[in-house]
Amino acid sequence: STQGRIFQCPHTENNSKGRGSKTRKQQTMKSPIISILHFFALLLLTTRNASSNFGDYADLTFQCPAFTTCPQACVADVANCPASMTCPDGTTLCVDGSCTASTNDVCSGDLVSPCDELSYPSVACAKVNDYYDSCLEKYQETYDFQSQYAEDLVAETTTMITFKEPVFIFCYTWISAVTAFIVLWCAYNQRFSPVSGSTKPLQEATGTDINTTLWVQTGYRSNLLGNLLYAMVCVTIAGFQVLLAIVTAFYYAQQGLITWCPVAIQDEQQALLCFIIVWMVGFFWTFALKWPASMTSLFLRRCTFENATHIAVCAPITNTTENKINSPTCGASCMSSQTGFARCVAYSMNLFLGCLGGMSSGAGIVMKFIFSDVTTPKENCQLEHCRVCNEKGDRFFYYRLRRYTFDPEVGAFVPGDWVVGKTLGDFAALQNGLYDSDVQKRLSVVGPNSIRIKKPSFVKSVFRQFSSKFYNYQFYIIWAWVPLYYYYMAILYFIIVTIGGITVAFFQYENEASLYKLTHMSGTIDTLRNGEYKCLEMSELVPGDVVALRPGITYCDMVLLRGSRLVVDESALTGESTPVSKTAIDPHDIQTAMYSPKAHKRQTILAGTTIVECSENDDLGLVTKTSSYTSRGEMLREILSFGRHKFKFDNEVGIVLMILVIYGIFGFFMTGFVLIKDSWIYGWFYGIYVLAASVPALLPTVFVVSVGVSNKRLAKKRIACVNSENILVAGKVKRALFDKTGTLTKQGLDFLSARSKDGWNSDKDISLPKILETGMSCCHTLVQTNDGTLVGNSMDKIMFEAAGAKMSVSASEQQETKRFLVTKADGKVITVLKRFDFDHESMTQSVIAQTPDGKMLAFVKGSAESIKRLCRPDSLPNGFDTSVKASAKEGVYQIAMAMKNIESGSWQMSRSEVECDLAFIGVISFKNILREESSAVLKQLEEGDIYPIMVTGDNILTGIFVAKECNMIKTERVLIAVEIDENGNITWVDESDSIASPPLIGNMKTGELEYELAMMGSVWETILEKNRQYALELVEHVRVYGRCTPGNKISVISALIDKGYITSMCGDGGNDCGALKTAHVGIALSDAEASMVAPFTSIDKTITSVVEVLREGRCALASALASYKYMIMYGQVEAMNQMLCAYFQVTFYEWNWVFMDGFWVISMAFTLPLSKAASKLSPERPTSSILGAHTMFSACGVLALNFTFMIIALAALFHQDWYLCQKWGNTDVSSVTLIADNYEAETLFLVTGYQYISSAMAFNFGYTFRSAWIKNYTFVALALGFTIIQFYIALVPGHLSCVFRVNCSNDDVVRGVTSNEPLPIQNPFNTTIMPVSFRWILVIIIASNTVAIMGYEFFIVNGVGKRIWKKIVRGDSGEMVLSP
């Protein structure tokens, strides 16, 4: 062969053990960060010549046999060199194997023999060019001699360790002793020496039945022996890390790479064996200690509560429900309706999952036996160890914000609650405030008035994250990368793991910080102590304190002792955007009325509300609850103890990890002990690399990042989220419930007319009767602020303004009389003596008023039905029901009003006495104006296969009218359940009030009826009580619920949840609070930025927020699953790469790994979730199962295609004629930099490396739930940039391709990650350049692979294949049922 290139410097090939490591002596370590910067400089300056000439011949004719420079021959004397490896006559052989140009030339004194560096005989023979096979044939005897020489030299100069040295004996003894101590301590503490009375039930709050509570408390105390043992364990855990660092230093000292460390272990394999032993023992030992709930508590001694320093509390996680991916109504019937194939798949999956569950249970039993654990928390329960505090002789601990104080009489800890009083009389008796002795007593029980939650710390969040089992595994994997010159991979993996952990910790920190903002309190308040007012910190308040009220946020629950014009904003607690007024307790009720925050809502000021306006120095409040016992504290406790509604993936994540670990263990043994032909010690490391790839380090971040991105987008749309985890739940909503007034309709009402009894049957407009005008003027709960603004219910304001009345008294006058004065339109002044607030159960509100002539009247207003029940029948006009129904059918919001005379001087009456025996006087009509966006929102929900439902406290006919107006109801006929008798017989009528036959529900699905169903709230509650099964069947079809109390709304949502539906509720606060908290996804329309009444708050108070939340929920869920599939794909392709590399005894070059495991994976994984939500809701919801058919079909299909093209690429290589004489034949894997330059590794990198990018491109599809893939601009830009690089290096040899050792020759080589100088091509042929034809073959394979997986994902997974799967494979039910 005449074509080729001759270079000037000597080059040797690795033919014997250890030579790779010795070659590396010439190279100095440098910062990987600097190397990365060098790489980017190369990208900008690709023409930069970063190489030297290495003097070796590269044959680019691609013919067999291959012509090359024969491997360097080393001998003891020049005379021993083969005849053809000597210099021509007249020239001199130099020490480096080169020949002088002439007889007169002299060899340079700076030359170094390459043989010395490789522990070979010191004389280097001259280089010759020949066919490679001929080189081996002619000079094999010389090569064998130099290899044997090196082995003998190593054997003579190496001192082997026996593993019986004192340091080893100490380590054996220490580990064995500490392990034995742990087992014996646990057995003694838990089994052999139990402490009687150390475990007792724990009351969640005062009044909880301690005999039925699921809460349990167990006493523990610090113990000298336990503390000593704990210290030994901590030292041992840290010791493993120190030992790994020391052994690693010994390894690199033996390799000659570092000089500051003594060569304590002279044999390379023994150094690696020491590392393996420390790694294995340390990993399993540390991992086992992660099994107990708390390692710290493991070494506490059980004791009675009198001596306890810690309390272990086992309490249930509230509100946890597990929602399967399957249809909520699909059970055994679905299984029976599936095809035989689907049943077979389901059975196989259940069998496999059962085996995994059995393995997990078996491991749990073993660990439970080792640690003698008898306190394992039950399902859906949480075990937490709380430190007992001791202040001034009071012993207490905090759990879920609540203080529990030790009670010597009970012999256990009890809730630290203080009951101020039971009646209003008790409260009135405390109006003189407390004395210091009272304060100290109460303070010792309830503690400071603060929500005890630690200020979030990002550092602590990071520490907590990295202390988990997963990261314990990852950090040991990082250590496994450090030897064998893979330390740059250890740094890379450390960066990846750190980025992943910090990302998760950051989002967790943000959630904790937002919660902390809700608990943080500051400020002072004037408090009556020892008979005089003192300015105290809010935290110093105790129950029973009397405080002077000032504008600002309140931090305790109070009863208003004095004051009648207090205006507060409760939006942060209830979501109610309209300020409400508060009135003082009635002095005439103090002896008889039992206090109830619900019944005396107008007299109660809740913690977390903002006092908007009050009288100066006149308004006094009595503190009733502090700290966690306040309404605000209870809500925060619910948030803390709330367990997000679980999906399939919550349970499946553990199963998937177990599958990956099992697969990784298989790959570990297959790679390390079967595929690697070198020593098993090297095989162990390569096997660990397979195990590391099988469980990707970024796997835990995929859900967190997706949720965090969606949360940020919601915040930009002015939708606040208290707990971002609920975003994922929003992606599965199937039933959307709405309040009517203020939600589907506008916040306010338009006044239509006032119709009196006298003009009931008149079609003409008549003047407003005086008595009805008087009722409209005074029957309300409005309060006028100092600036003249009316505060109160919006309907009351509209009615009051329609009557032409005005508030006519000043604040000071009002404070003195404690009566409201109203001036009518005719100038007459009405005195309101007493008010009864609106009651959601009776649906009435009433007042007692006095006319100018001293006459006393009672006015009651409310729903037509409720007023009818309270009126004398003879006072009702003819056709009352018909007229009311007719108005309701027209969408008129109507309230009725009645009155009665009261004897002079007897106005101190109870509500029940006032609201009876009334005379009807008329109705006031308003018009509900539909929101402009309501129809569009409901249309989008229905297009998204979400069934909208109305739950309203208004007349059911009005609700039906609004439902039709906004197209929630599209059918002409509506059946209404109006009443139910004692026998459970339901009366159904249509809109014309004609009796109708009961609906034929049968097995009909939602929406299949030819008519819609509506139901009264009272009827629903009765059906639920008498025939729950029928109620659960009806709830599938009822569209409108009318005359609903807050309890009715809660029961409807609870029934839907019992059916398995994920529900959302949208309301404007007030009577919607319970429903908003009960639904999985509550969306409050409130201008409070941090409303605790619901997970989501629409600050702009628009129902389009419902669609936005659901869109982002679906997007987040789809993005999370896409990222999850990508990480699984990356891990398995990487594992297969590692195993194939082990099979061929090769590896990738340094920069290849940096890009594959660094730049590509991180950028793809973190930009995949950046895809925006689809513009509209699709007719289906994303799957929430990572083991479900859709996810498995997608992930496994892409993996199968990737593996297929991997095999195709290798097959194409094997069928190349030029390759047959240039196969990689080395079996020494001890030096990774010397086994990377070969066509096997090059082909694998080009094809499988791009799979890291193309697979992400395929998973970027998701147009059903996310925007078009092209709109994920960051992702597309990165993928395009990486694609250009990959295709360029596959086709064009040069400096850039040599960065990856692809299509590279010695004249273009550049420095690697860990070296300052370029390394020559490390194969016998001195090049990795491929023929142009094969380059295009690989490009075609890469492109075909990309098209195949993208087409599969687009057309099969998300297209026609998906429909075929539903129709044929999964049967008519459309579901594959797997056992839980």
Side-chain angles (χ1 to χ4, degrees):
S1 174
T2 59
Q3 297 185 23
R5 288 184 291 252
I6 302 292
F7 303 105
Q8 302 305 315
C9 295
H11 165 55
T12 59
E13 187 205 357
N14 173 29
N15 274 326
S16 66
K17 182 71 64 180
R19 295 183 61 188
S21 61
K22 296 301 181 181
T23 302
R24 294 298 293 264
K25 288 183 181 180
Q26 291 180 311
Q27 305 171 19
T28 58
M29 299 173 61
K30 66 170 186 172
S31 169
I33 296 178
I34 296 177
S35 299
I36 293 173
L37 295 176
H38 284 166
F39 169 77
F40 283 110
L42 284 174
L43 292 184
L44 297 175
L45 303 171
T46 54
T47 60
R48 173 179 177 272
N49 190 346
S51 66
S52 303
N53 292 326
F54 292 101
D56 293 331
Y57 183 88
D59 182 3
L60 298 183
T61 62
F62 302 106
Q63 297 180 1
C64 286
F67 199 76
T68 185
T69 298
C70 293
Q72 182 75 61
C74 298
V75 293
D77 188 85
V78 175
N80 296 331
C81 288
S84 57
M85 284 189 172
T86 57
C87 291
D89 293 339
T91 61
T92 304
L93 178 65
C94 297
V95 68
D96 66 341
S98 61
C99 298
T100 58
S102 64
T103 307
N104 298 326
D105 292 337
V106 179
C107 295
S108 172
D110 297 332
L111 297 179
V112 178
S113 171
C115 300
D116 289 339
E117 300 167 4
L118 301 176
S119 300
Y120 287 161
S122 58
V123 177
C125 298
K127 289 187 177 182
V128 296
N129 296 330
D130 201 345
Y131 293 107
Y132 182 67
D133 292 342
S134 299
C135 291
L136 298 181
E137 181 179 347
K138 294 177 180 179
Y139 312 120
Q140 188 62 53
E141 183 177 350
T142 302
Y143 296 147
D144 291 342
F145 166 78
Q146 63 189 32
S147 297
Q148 187 62 46
Y149 180 92
E151 292 177 6
D152 294 341
L153 180 63
V154 169
E156 292 174 2
T157 59
T158 301
T159 301
M160 306 294 285
I161 60 175
T162 63
F163 293 95
K164 296 179 181 179
E165 288 78 2
V167 65
F168 288 100
I169 300 299
F170 173 79
C171 290
Y172 303 152
T173 305
W174 178 271
I175 295 296
S176 301
V178 174
T179 303
F181 288 157
I182 293 174
V183 175
L184 293 174
W185 166 266
C186 293
Y188 167 77
N189 197 24
Q190 302 286 3
R191 296 184 186 277
F192 301 142
S193 182
V195 178
S196 178
S198 61
T199 299
K200 290 184 179 181
L202 176 65
Q203 284 182 292
E204 178 183 3
T206 304
T208 305
D209 187 356
I210 199 167
N211 295 317
T212 60
T213 182
L214 296 176
W215 292 47
V216 177
Q217 57 180 324
T218 304
Y220 290 90
R221 63 179 173 85
S222 297
N223 177 275
L224 179 60
L225 181 59
N227 291 338
L228 178 61
L229 187 54
Y230 175 66
M232 294 172 65
V233 169
C234 292
V235 169
T236 305
I237 292 176
F240 282 121
Q241 307 301 312
V242 174
L243 282 176
L244 286 172
I246 292 174
V247 174
T248 302
F250 287 166
Y251 168 77
Y252 282 111
Q254 186 275 332
Q255 293 289 295
L257 199 63
I258 59 176
T259 57
W260 51 265
C261 178
V263 184
I265 304 177
Q266 298 180 6
D267 182 73
E268 177 186 15
Q269 292 194 21
Q270 282 200 327
L272 294 176
L273 180 59
C274 288
F275 182 93
I276 293 173
I277 294 173
V278 174
W279 192 99
M280 294 287 286
V281 176
F283 173 78
F284 287 108
W285 202 85
T286 307
F287 196 82
L289 284 174
K290 294 291 181 181
W291 189 83
S294 168
M295 191 180 76
T296 305
S297 62
L298 189 67
F299 303 101
L300 296 174
R301 173 69 175 131
R302 292 186 72 164
C303 66
T304 58
F305 296 100
E306 289 83 354
N307 303 315
T309 59
H310 295 76
I311 300 296
V313 179
C314 184
I317 303 172
T318 59
N319 297 332
T320 54
T321 57
E322 182 176 340
N323 296 281
K324 302 179 178 63
I325 59 170
N326 306 324
S327 168
T329 58
C330 183
S333 59
C334 290
M335 180 68 86
S336 62
S337 64
Q338 290 178 346
T339 63
F341 176 78
R343 286 196 297 272
C344 180
V345 172
Y347 176 79
S348 300
M349 284 293 293
N350 286 330
L351 183 62
F352 177 69
L353 296 180
C355 293
L356 290 182
M359 294 171 59
S360 178
S361 299
I365 291 173
V366 172
M367 299 304 292
K368 191 172 182 179
F369 173 78
I370 291 175
F371 292 104
S372 300
D373 194 348
V374 295
T375 59
T376 303
K378 299 178 182 178
E379 187 177 1
N380 286 337
C381 286
Q382 182 183 52
L383 182 65
E384 183 175 338
H385 289 77
C386 309
R387 184 179 295 275
V388 176
C389 302
N390 195 331
E391 294 181 2
K392 298 179 181 179
D394 298 323
R395 299 177 62 248
F396 57 89
F397 70 88
Y398 281 89
Y399 179 69
R400 292 183 183 174
L401 308 184
R402 179 151 293 166
R403 179 181 172 119
Y404 294 87
T405 307
F406 179 71
D407 187 340
E409 296 182 1
V410 180
F413 288 82
V414 297
D417 189 18
W418 188 282
V419 179
V420 175
K422 296 182 179 180
T423 67
L424 298 182
D426 297 334
F427 295 157
L430 294 171
Q431 60 184 345
N432 294 324
L434 300 176
Y435 289 88
D436 289 341
S437 58
D438 299 321
V439 172
Q440 290 302 322
K441 187 183 298 183
R442 300 177 189 214
L443 193 61
S444 66
V445 175
V446 301
N449 177 36
S450 61
I451 304 297
R452 182 100 168 204
I453 183 171
K454 294 181 180 179
K455 186 176 181 179
S457 167
F458 179 66
V459 174
K460 290 183 179 179
S461 296
V462 171
F463 178 79
R464 185 168 59 248
Q465 183 66 26
F466 286 124
S467 297
S468 65
K469 296 177 183 178
F470 182 83
Y471 286 100
N472 178 70
Y473 157 79
Q474 290 294 347
F475 284 131
Y476 269 91
I477 290 296
I478 291 172
W479 269 117
W481 283 103
V482 178
L484 294 185
Y485 293 93
Y486 265 131
Y487 54 84
Y488 68 91
M489 284 297 294
I491 297 173
L492 178 63
Y493 261 82
F494 178 79
I495 294 172
I496 293 173
V497 170
T498 302
I499 289 175
I502 289 178
T503 301
V504 176
F506 174 74
F507 285 114
Q508 290 177 347
Y509 168 76
E510 281 196 325
N511 282 338
E512 293 171 357
S514 63
L515 184 62
Y516 178 75
K517 288 180 182 178
L518 299 177
T519 65
H520 183 65
M521 63 172 63
S522 61
T524 59
I525 190 168
D526 291 334
T527 308
L528 185 58
R529 293 273 181 92
N530 300 320
E532 59 182 12
Y533 283 97
K534 297 180 180 179
C535 184
L536 302 177
E537 293 290 335
M538 288 286 185
S539 60
E540 296 181 64
L541 294 179
V542 296
D545 267 328
V546 175
V547 297
L549 302 179
R550 299 286 184 270
I553 300 176
T554 61
Y555 293 103
C556 56
D557 285 356
M558 293 181 284
V559 167
L560 188 58
L561 289 178
R562 193 172 72 194
S564 56
R565 294 185 59 184
L566 195 74
V567 178
V568 301
D569 178 2
E570 296 181 334
S571 58
L573 288 179
T574 66
E576 180 64 60
S577 57
T578 304
V580 296
S581 62
K582 299 292 181 180
T583 59
I585 57 177
D586 193 330
H588 298 281
D589 287 341
I590 60 175
Q591 300 303 326
T592 57
M594 297 294 293
Y595 173 73
S596 166
K598 184 177 180 181
H600 297 89
K601 183 178 179 181
R602 283 292 300 280
Q603 290 77 37
T604 302
I605 304 172
L606 301 177
T609 60
T610 301
I611 298 178
V612 178
E613 185 174 304
C614 62
S615 303
E616 293 185 10
N617 304 318
D618 290 322
D619 294 343
L620 297 180
L622 174 69
V623 178
T624 57
K625 298 288 184 182
T626 59
S627 61
S628 67
Y629 282 94
T630 63
S631 54
R632 183 167 174 263
E634 292 289 358
M635 285 188 174
L636 289 169
R637 291 186 75 247
E638 286 183 13
I639 294 173
L640 285 177
S641 61
F642 177 81
R644 175 178 55 77
H645 302 278
K646 290 187 177 180
F647 289 130
K648 276 285 242 182
F649 64 69
D650 287 292
N651 293 328
E652 291 173 345
V653 164
I655 297 174
V656 169
L657 285 176
M658 190 178 298
I659 293 173
L660 295 179
V661 169
I662 292 174
Y663 171 74
I665 293 174
F666 168 79
F668 167 77
F669 284 102
M670 178 62 67
T671 302
F673 304 99
V674 177
L675 298 179
I676 291 293
K677 299 179 176 62
D678 207 336
S679 168
W680 72 267
I681 293 178
Y682 300 110
W684 183 91
F685 284 93
Y686 285 89
I688 286 293
Y689 303 154
V690 174
L691 180 61
S694 301
V695 187
L698 292 178
L699 199 58
T701 67
V702 294
F703 290 100
V704 176
V705 172
S706 299
V707 168
V709 170
S710 290
N711 191 21
K712 296 290 186 184
R713 288 199 290 254
L714 286 175
K716 291 180 180 179
K717 297 173 182 176
R718 290 177 59 79
I719 301 173
C721 180
V722 176
N723 189 345
S724 59
E725 286 189 347
N726 284 281
I727 294 175
L728 290 177
V729 184
K732 297 296 287 183
V733 167
K734 196 165 186 177
R735 292 290 186 271
L737 294 89
F738 294 88
D739 182 32
K740 179 182 72 66
T741 307
T743 303
L744 292 173
T745 62
K746 292 183 178 179
Q747 188 70 32
L749 299 169
D750 287 351
F751 176 77
L752 289 181
S753 64
R755 188 178 183 188
S756 68
K757 173 185 176 183
D758 297 334
W760 192 258
N761 296 317
S762 174
D763 295 332
K764 298 179 181 180
D765 291 336
I766 61 174
S767 60
L768 188 63
K770 297 299 183 183
I771 191 65
L772 184 56
E773 180 189 358
T774 302
M776 293 172 61
S777 300
C778 65
C779 191
H780 54 74
T781 57
L782 298 176
V783 172
Q784 183 172 290
T785 62
N786 293 334
D787 61 1
T789 303
L790 292 176
V791 175
N793 183 272
S794 60
M795 185 201 69
D796 282 351
K797 285 192 284 186
I798 295 169
M799 179 187 70
F800 182 76
E801 292 168 354
K806 295 180 180 179
M807 294 281 193
S808 60
V809 297
S810 66
S812 60
E813 293 172 329
Q814 210 172 55
Q815 181 61 39
E816 291 170 1
T817 61
K818 293 192 177 181
R819 297 172 184 174
F820 292 90
L821 303 183
V822 175
T823 302
K824 294 174 55 179
D826 58 8
K828 294 182 179 180
V829 178
I830 305 296
T831 303
V832 180
L833 302 175
K834 192 169 188 176
R835 284 177 167 181
F836 295 100
D837 295 328
F838 181 78
D839 183 87
H840 291 293
E841 298 298 328
S842 65
M843 293 192 175
T844 58
Q845 185 264 321
S846 55
V847 298
I848 299 176
Q850 187 177 35
T851 61
D853 57 5
K855 194 175 182 179
M856 291 189 181
L857 303 173
F859 291 95
V860 182
K861 77 175 191 296
S863 67
E865 297 89 341
S866 59
I867 295 298
K868 177 184 176 182
R869 290 194 301 269
L870 302 177
C871 287
R872 299 190 305 272
D874 60 348
S875 68
L876 295 171
N878 294 330
F880 174 79
D881 292 337
T882 303
S883 177
V884 170
K885 289 179 180 178
S887 298
K889 290 177 182 178
E890 296 174 2
V892 175
Y893 183 90
Q894 202 168 62
I895 62 170
M897 188 170 289
M899 56 82 64
K900 73 176 180 181
N901 294 312
I902 297 177
E903 294 181 7
S904 178
S906 59
W907 59 273
Q908 291 297 340
M909 305 170 63
S910 65
R911 183 169 196 149
S912 59
E913 292 174 323
V914 172
E915 297 180 0
C916 67
D917 197 25
L918 302 173
F920 177 79
I921 59 174
V923 294
I924 303 100
S925 300
F926 305 86
K927 179 65 176 177
N928 273 140
I929 305 300
L930 194 69
R931 286 179 182 262
E932 293 83 356
E933 68 270 19
S934 293
S935 298
V937 167
L938 295 179
K939 181 180 179 182
Q940 289 187 62
L941 292 178
E942 290 183 339
E943 289 176 349
D945 191 31
I946 296 173
Y947 190 74
I949 300 169
M950 182 191 296
V951 284
T952 177
D954 201 356
N955 188 297
I956 194 167
L957 295 175
T958 306
I960 292 172
F961 175 86
V962 173
K964 288 185 175 181
E965 190 177 10
C966 63
N967 291 321
M968 182 184 288
I969 292 179
K970 300 181 180 64
T971 61
E972 291 294 330
R973 191 179 184 211
V974 179
L975 295 187
I976 309 168
V978 293
E979 61 181 30
I980 182 172
D981 61 23
E982 296 179 355
N983 298 321
N985 299 316
I986 306 170
T987 301
W988 293 89
V989 298
D990 56 22
E991 288 183 277
S992 63
D993 215 20
S994 301
I995 300 297
S997 301
L1000 300 176
I1001 298 175
N1003 293 321
M1004 302 188 75
K1005 298 180 180 179
T1006 303
E1008 292 184 350
L1009 294 175
E1010 297 178 354
Y1011 42 80
E1012 294 283 6
L1013 301 183
M1015 184 175 291
M1016 299 284 287
S1018 57
V1019 175
W1020 159 256
E1021 208 68 44
T1022 306
I1023 297 174
L1024 192 64
E1025 180 182 346
K1026 292 181 176 294
N1027 190 347
R1028 181 175 178 81
Q1029 183 60 38
Y1030 183 54
L1032 293 179
E1033 293 175 5
L1034 278 175
V1035 79
E1036 295 264 6
H1037 305 279
V1038 178
R1039 179 76 76 168
V1040 177
Y1041 296 86
R1043 292 298 182 211
C1044 285
T1045 65
N1048 295 152
K1049 295 182 181 183
I1050 292 173
S1051 66
V1052 169
I1053 295 175
S1054 298
L1056 289 169
I1057 292 175
D1058 289 344
K1059 290 287 290 183
Y1061 290 112
I1062 304 295
T1063 60
S1064 70
M1065 172 67 194
C1066 182
D1068 60 344
N1071 62 344
D1072 298 321
C1073 290
L1076 288 169
K1077 289 194 292 184
T1078 303
H1080 299 93
V1081 180
I1083 305 168
L1085 305 183
S1086 171
D1087 51 11
E1089 293 188 6
S1091 175
M1092 289 182 287
V1093 71
F1096 299 93
T1097 301
S1098 173
I1099 300 173
D1100 290 333
K1101 297 185 284 188
T1102 170
I1103 65 170
T1104 56
S1105 299
V1106 175
V1107 176
E1108 295 295 342
V1109 170
L1110 301 188
R1111 285 174 56 239
E1112 286 295 346
R1114 292 186 176 188
C1115 176
L1117 196 53
S1119 296
L1121 267 295
S1123 299
Y1124 158 81
K1125 291 186 291 185
Y1126 174 71
M1127 293 310 303
I1128 294 296
M1129 185 286 311
Y1130 148 71
Q1132 306 324 300
V1133 170
E1134 174 103 332
M1136 184 58 67
N1137 265 336
Q1138 294 279 11
M1139 286 192 279
L1140 285 173
C1141 284
Y1143 174 77
F1144 293 117
Q1145 316 295 306
V1146 300
T1147 189
F1148 299 144
Y1149 194 59
E1150 295 173 342
W1151 278 116
N1152 303 43
W1153 288 121
V1154 170
F1155 264 75
M1156 292 169 70
D1157 292 331
F1159 297 128
W1160 290 346
V1161 170
I1162 292 177
S1163 58
M1164 295 293 98
F1166 281 91
T1167 56
L1168 260 179
L1170 297 181
S1171 180
K1172 296 181 180 179
S1175 58
K1176 62 179 183 179
L1177 296 170
S1178 65
E1180 56 188 8
R1181 280 155 295 280
T1183 179
S1184 61
S1185 173
I1186 55 180
L1187 285 177
H1190 183 270
T1191 308
M1192 297 294 288
F1193 195 50
S1194 172
C1196 294
V1198 171
L1199 276 172
L1201 287 171
N1202 283 336
F1203 289 159
T1204 299
F1205 280 94
M1206 185 187 300
I1207 295 172
I1208 291 173
L1210 290 174
L1213 174 66
F1214 295 161
H1215 284 79
Q1216 299 297 310
D1217 293 337
W1218 56 269
Y1219 168 75
L1220 298 178
C1221 61
Q1222 298 192 43
K1223 291 181 180 180
W1224 183 254
N1226 186 22
T1227 59
D1228 180 6
V1229 295
S1230 61
S1231 183
V1232 295
T1233 56
L1234 303 183
I1235 59 175
D1237 296 329
N1238 50 80
Y1239 293 109
E1240 293 87 348
E1242 183 176 2
T1243 301
L1244 281 174
F1245 169 72
L1246 288 174
V1247 176
T1248 64
Y1250 190 70
Q1251 288 175 353
Y1252 289 37
I1253 303 166
S1254 60
S1255 297
M1257 293 164 60
F1259 293 135
N1260 190 43
F1261 288 129
Y1263 58 91
T1264 307
F1265 312 112
R1266 300 183 290 168
S1267 296
W1269 64 273
I1270 195 67
K1271 293 185 177 181
N1272 191 347
Y1273 302 116
T1274 305
F1275 174 88
V1276 171
L1278 286 170
L1280 181 61
F1282 293 146
T1283 299
I1284 292 173
I1285 293 175
Q1286 193 77 351
F1287 277 70
Y1288 181 84
I1289 65 175
L1291 292 172
V1292 182
H1295 291 300
L1296 181 59
S1297 65
C1298 278
V1299 171
F1300 303 94
R1301 310 290 274 200
V1302 170
N1303 284 321
C1304 183
S1305 59
N1306 278 330
D1307 56 346
D1308 291 322
V1309 293
V1310 297
R1311 59 175 59 97
V1313 177
T1314 60
S1315 60
N1316 284 323
E1317 298 298 329
L1319 187 70
I1321 298 298
Q1322 298 294 305
N1323 67 38
F1325 316 104
N1326 308 305
T1327 183
T1328 61
I1329 295 177
M1330 301 177 292
V1332 174
S1333 60
F1334 186 67
R1335 299 179 212 167
W1336 281 105
I1337 290 174
L1338 287 183
V1339 168
I1340 292 172
I1341 291 174
I1342 294 171
S1344 300
N1345 186 2
T1346 303
V1347 171
I1349 62 176
M1350 294 182 71
Y1352 172 80
E1353 190 72 16
F1354 187 89
F1355 295 106
I1356 304 300
V1357 175
N1358 291 312
V1360 62
K1362 186 176 183 179
R1363 294 191 291 271
I1364 294 175
W1365 172 262
K1366 286 183 176 180
K1367 185 176 181 180
I1368 299 177
V1369 180
R1370 299 167 77 180
D1372 296 334
S1373 69
E1375 301 294 342
M1376 175 179 288
V1377 178
L1378 301 179
S1379 299

